Amino acid sequence: MDALFWSATLFGLVCAGLMTASVFTLTRSDSTSETPNDMPGLSLVFSGNRLIDADDPVWSVLPDPSTFPTYDDVRVALLPFVPNLPLVLDQIDEPTQGSEVSITVSQFGAQTRLKLSPKSVEQNDWFHAKKHQIALAQLQPAIQYAPDLIWSVDQHGSLIWGNDTFGRYASAYGGDHAFADFITDQLSQPEALRSKRINLTAPELHLTQKRWLEVTVKAIETGMLYFASGIDAVVQAEAAQQSFVQTLSKTFANLTTGLAIFDRDRRLVLFNPALVDQSGVSAEFLSARPAMFEFFDKLRDHQIMPEPKNYDDWRERMARLVVAASDDRFRETWNLSTGQTLDVTGRPYPDGAIAFLFNDITAEVSLTRGFRTELETMQSVIDAMEDAVAVFNHQGILTLCNAAYSNLWKVDPDTCISESSILEATQAWKSAFHPSPVWAELRDFVTSTSERASWDSELRAKDGREVICRIDPICYGATLVRFCHHTHSKQSPTDTDSLQIVSA
């Protein structure tokens, strides 16, 4: 039994191999062999509904030649070449004649061989010719309807053809040939792949509206091929940008603040005349686009920044300065040895740029110092007075007092968190003196907006001393209140006459 089984198995394998070899031989011979009477064309061999073999030009138009496509895939790919291919492979029962290509069917068992032959037997390369024709038909609309201008001239400069966009532009310039000649005249010695801007304003054609084209020329065998794009919007944007830059430049030129802008590579790209005036650095040096450290080195040489103790510390400080300016954290006041004071600010800008502003605040600092000196002098003067003196503004808020008043009433407006009002003050005064109707009258006087005159009132402290409260209106609606010790029991007429009434 074992011998019989192995003999049957070996016989089956031999038969299967012979059948496979015969099918493969039949397939390749049918698809590639030609008899002298066969018409020139292409062959396709299907096994069932799958394409298993075909001439090379057929594979070149299939979407995925590495697989065995179905008849539907082959039909879609070949329809531009053979419009009369039926929907189903089984419907091809007999040779059919198409308008351009005839289809011949040969059946070999489960395999079907299609022979595609041109109508004209002289056209041996009909498939490649048709492929080229389809490619041209697909390419022509892309060129004809392109939004840019495309045209060609021969070796003598005569127009050969132009697309629709070229025709629309040419209609305003006397026609296609006149427009082509106009562009050629504008391009002196056209070179291959060289772009040039052309102004289409043509006074001889009575056209005053400015239009711009960017033209590229390519040399070909038949002459010159031109490509052009309308750049009206680009030119207008560049003009607007240039005008804006000029406006900014004029604005920067009139600024009293020195301006230095460094790009992302930390080189000076913009400065104004105020920077030259403040620093004393020459415009030639600044125009050479120095690096940031070179710029600050030059400022240090001209004593326009505080002198460091040593150079290494200064370099480290400059590195910190750049980092702080990049983070919008840099602002310093430079007190120079020349007496000049600069307020220096660093600001980050887009694309990694940094701007430094140098503001000369020498006058403001001098004015502030002078004002502070006057205030300190005035405070020293009233502190030297023996009388307790206090000033209330027109809203009744204590704004100023001397040392005698602070010691007497334990009040200091410079150290108090909350504001001291005339109401609180009169309450404190009322507790230190015997009852008197003067307090209500004093409160009304301080906050009054009508015309006012100086007056005084005698008060008796609870310790028995006599005190004179003197009230004087001063500038800006403020009121000066003084507490004076009564040295005489009764004022003499002379003393009374010496008091002057002051109107606010």
Side-chain angles (χ1 to χ4, degrees):
M1 291 295 293
D2 292 341
L4 182 59
F5 172 78
W6 287 111
S7 299
T9 301
L10 181 59
F11 179 79
L13 291 175
V14 171
C15 291
L18 291 174
M19 291 178 64
T20 303
S22 63
V23 171
F24 180 79
T25 304
L26 176 62
T27 300
R28 296 304 299 173
S29 63
D30 288 340
S31 62
T32 57
S33 61
E34 295 283 352
T35 62
N37 296 327
D38 284 340
M39 295 177 62
L42 300 176
S43 296
L44 299 87
V45 179
F46 291 87
S47 178
N49 197 41
R50 292 278 181 178
L51 179 67
I52 61 173
D53 197 7
D55 290 328
D56 291 339
V58 176
W59 293 109
S60 67
V61 299
L62 294 178
D64 189 3
S66 63
T67 62
F68 296 102
T70 63
Y71 174 75
D72 293 336
D73 297 332
V74 175
R75 181 179 179 275
V76 172
L78 294 182
L79 272 180
F81 304 91
V82 188
N84 57 324
L85 275 176
L87 289 173
V88 182
L89 180 61
D90 297 341
Q91 293 178 353
I92 307 177
D93 297 330
E94 57 184 13
T96 59
Q97 297 296 325
S99 59
E100 296 182 3
V101 180
S102 64
I103 305 173
T104 305
V105 183
S106 301
Q107 198 74 30
F108 301 95
Q111 298 181 1
T112 304
R113 178 174 181 265
L114 298 185
K115 183 65 175 295
L116 308 178
S117 302
K119 191 173 182 180
S120 175
V121 296
E122 290 81 9
Q123 188 179 357
N124 294 326
D125 199 14
W126 68 273
F127 192 84
H128 292 286
K130 186 66 176 178
K131 184 178 179 181
H132 183 64
Q133 180 183 355
I134 293 173
L136 289 178
Q138 295 173 345
L139 183 61
Q140 183 178 2
I143 298 176
Q144 194 67 27
Y145 304 126
D148 294 335
L149 294 78
I150 305 175
W151 72 98
S152 176
V153 299
D154 61 18
Q155 297 177 352
H156 302 289
S158 299
L159 178 66
I160 299 176
W161 62 270
N163 66 350
D164 290 351
T165 306
F166 172 83
R168 287 195 296 270
Y169 270 78
S171 62
Y173 288 83
D176 295 350
H177 293 276
F179 183 62
D181 293 340
F182 176 78
I183 297 296
T184 303
D185 294 339
Q186 297 292 321
L187 293 173
S188 58
Q189 298 180 354
E191 300 175 0
L193 295 179
R194 181 179 64 87
S195 297
K196 181 179 181 180
R197 289 187 175 183
I198 300 297
N199 185 357
L200 297 184
T201 303
E204 65 276 9
L205 299 177
H206 305 289
L207 296 175
T208 57
Q209 181 183 4
K210 287 187 177 181
R211 302 192 66 180
W212 292 85
L213 288 179
E214 186 167 12
V215 183
T216 302
V217 185
K218 171 67 176 179
I220 57 178
E221 293 181 359
T222 59
M224 304 297 292
L225 185 61
Y226 290 80
F227 304 90
S229 301
I231 56 170
D232 296 341
V234 175
V235 173
Q236 292 174 4
E238 291 177 350
Q241 182 183 19
Q242 184 179 3
S243 176
F244 180 70
V245 171
Q246 291 177 351
T247 302
L248 286 181
S249 300
K250 292 179 181 178
T251 303
F252 293 156
N254 295 326
L255 285 178
T256 58
T257 300
L259 178 66
I261 298 180
F262 297 85
D263 61 13
R264 65 186 308 169
D265 297 326
R266 300 298 180 260
R267 288 199 168 273
L268 184 65
V269 294
L270 182 64
F271 66 94
N272 65 342
L275 181 65
V276 179
D277 297 337
Q278 290 178 2
S279 64
V281 179
S282 65
E284 290 77 9
F285 172 80
L286 299 176
S287 299
R289 303 184 69 230
M292 183 180 294
F293 285 110
E294 295 176 357
F295 171 76
F296 284 108
D297 268 335
K298 185 66 69 172
L299 291 185
R300 186 175 61 88
D301 293 341
H302 285 72
Q303 299 182 346
I304 303 302
M305 60 184 310
E307 185 66 26
K309 294 182 180 180
N310 59 72
Y311 189 76
D312 292 336
D313 291 344
W314 180 84
R315 296 290 291 185
E316 183 179 354
R317 178 173 177 268
M318 286 298 99
R320 293 196 302 268
L321 179 149
V322 174
V323 174
S326 301
D327 296 337
D328 199 9
R329 294 183 293 103
F330 177 76
R331 184 167 187 175
E332 291 184 352
T333 300
W334 292 353
N335 296 311
L336 309 181
S337 59
T338 58
Q340 189 179 13
T341 304
L342 296 179
D343 178 43
V344 185
T345 305
R347 298 289 185 188
Y349 276 81
D351 199 25
I354 296 179
F356 287 94
L357 289 81
F358 299 84
N359 191 19
D360 190 347
I361 58 173
T362 305
E364 290 84 346
V365 170
S366 299
L367 181 62
T368 302
R369 290 173 179 171
F371 183 67
R372 184 183 295 113
T373 300
E374 292 180 0
L375 289 178
E376 293 175 352
T377 302
M378 183 186 68
Q379 187 67 43
S380 299
V381 170
I382 65 173
D383 285 342
M385 298 173 59
E386 295 182 358
D387 298 340
V389 177
V391 177
F392 297 86
N393 62 16
H394 67 283
Q395 296 177 342
I397 303 301
L398 178 64
T399 58
L400 182 66
C401 66
N402 66 348
Y405 182 89
S406 298
N407 294 331
L408 180 61
W409 301 111
K410 310 302 181 185
V411 175
D412 188 355
D414 294 333
T415 58
C416 291
I417 298 177
S418 61
E419 296 178 336
S420 179
S421 65
I422 187 63
L423 177 62
E424 296 171 348
T426 53
Q427 292 293 335
W429 301 340
K430 183 178 180 180
S431 63
F433 294 95
H434 289 287
S436 173
V438 72
W439 309 122
E441 184 179 355
L442 176 58
R443 287 194 294 268
D444 295 338
F445 183 85
V446 169
T447 57
S448 175
T449 57
S450 60
E451 185 177 355
R452 303 179 301 169
S454 298
W455 57 283
D456 56 33
S457 176
E458 293 185 358
L459 303 173
R460 181 177 294 277
K462 290 185 177 181
D463 58 2
R465 292 180 299 172
E466 293 184 354
V467 177
I468 296 178
C469 180
R470 177 76 178 182
I471 299 94
D472 297 304
I474 57 178
C475 60
Y476 302 112
T479 303
L480 175 66
V481 179
R482 291 181 292 168
F483 293 93
C484 313
H485 292 289
H486 198 337
T487 56
H488 302 287
S489 61
K490 184 178 180 181
Q491 288 183 336
S492 64
T494 304
D495 294 337
T496 305
D497 294 340
S498 64
L499 295 176
Q500 298 180 358
I501 304 301
V502 179
S503 299

